[in-house]
Amino acid sequence: MKNMIIASTSTVHGGTYLSYILPELEEFFKGISTILFVPYARPGGISHDDYTAIAAKGLATIGKKVVGLHTFENPVKAVEDAEAIFVGGGNTFLLVTQLYKQQVLEPIRKAVINGTLYMGSSAGSNITGLTMQTTNDMPIVYPPSFKTFGLVPFNINPHYQDPIEGSKHMGETRETRIKEFHTINTQPVVGIREGSWLHVKDDVIYLKGTLSARIFEQGKEPYELETNSEINFN
Amino acid sequence: MKNMIIASTSTVHGGTYLSYILPELEEFFKGISTILFVPYARPGGISHDDYTAIAAKGLATIGKKVVGLHTFENPVKAVEDAEAIFVGGGNTFLLVTQLYKQQVLEPIRKAVINGTLYMGSSAGSNITGLTMQTTNDMPIVYPPSFKTFGLVPFNINPHYQDPIEGSKHMGETRETRIKEFHTINTQPVVGIREGSWLHVKDDVIYLKGTLSARIFEQGKEPYELETNSEINFN
């Protein structure tokens, strides 16, 4: 009964918060009045209240009310009671540390398996994978584990970025980093470009949005998956 | 009695391995015949032997012999016996995990304090700081801790990269990432650009090479430090 949107980013260049994906969200959240927002990733260190206000403003345009998970005395109950959950982006290490600390990782996973709508963007998408180990973020805090929801049978690399042509920078490209991941990890990695998202319905996963995705499987050359295609590693 | 070179990168665009810094290394390693190489960061997953061969080739041009730490039955004794240690770049998470696993973190730290020459590039430089938490690398493996040598009283960001003008990518810039680090960590961060390095002599630390460094202190606007200047946060 899983029903999820896993978006590369909250915002595309030149757009406002969630603007590029609002038509899809209007359909996705149809019949839902209130969305539980998880602000733990705190981009730029802003307060949980301020971050929740940004999400609320973005989703007000499609008539949704947004409440922050941090405002509940009992976060586990808040998760269990939610109709829909939206986990915003920011720093994945911070997000995962907080999910463990607040003991909501397993409750959110269970709720989504039982049909609670889930939307993630950026770090909130990264954690739907088996582990957070293909994040692009800086390890600003030490989480108790890198294990995440495992709601999809692969890892996610959000904000996937192609090598910059003519760059003289010697740091690793994104592709090189993911290949390094595969020297010691076996799960596939789906690199989702900004403006694209995955739609998960039970065990059927479609790539949506304007761009193709880059797929990395251990021991294979990376390849492109066209939009509106199914992702299936079986 | 610390004597260290902390380099942003092993290779600059258009150069060969270590070529840009060989004149400095010739002076630094004067009187030393053999350098102990730590290949644990394994860039691109190559073998320890292959990585050691790259370092050996680079340092043969200034007449040095290179031996890999992985070839010793007793790595702690190898560290204690070394005249000079060179820790190569690659993935910092992998490097730190291996240093803990082989139990050489504390022995290397002690050796350097007692006067063993230390050279690091990239990941091998990152770990000279208080923690590895300002690495740019992907967390491909879960280390027992983010704590590193603390041989300098700040954190290092190697391969420091300025924001790319006109970029439409919405992922965080390096500066944004380091500012996020400072929302929960207090130590200064020194962003070393490719082609620059720090020279540490006892407690005196100089920036060397062609470029300025970008300095981040908690609660201050980031600023530039000119080359051939001393770094001192007291």
Side-chain angles (χ1 to χ4, degrees), chain A residues 19-63:
Chain A
S19 61
Y20 78 100
I21 200 174
L22 281 176
E24 176 87 5
L25 295 184
E26 192 158 22
E27 181 63 26
F28 182 70
F29 287 126
K30 198 158 66 181
I32 300 289
S33 62
T34 303
I35 297 165
L36 182 67
F37 181 65
V38 180
Y40 295 157
R42 297 178 63 171
I46 60 171
S47 76
H48 289 147
D49 280 343
D50 286 351
Y51 193 17
T52 303
I54 292 170
K57 192 182 166 198
L59 289 164
T61 55
I62 56 165

Side-chain angles (χ1 to χ4, degrees), chain A residues 69-76:
Chain A
L69 181 55
H70 66 290
T71 62
F72 290 85
E73 201 138 317
N74 186 338
V76 173

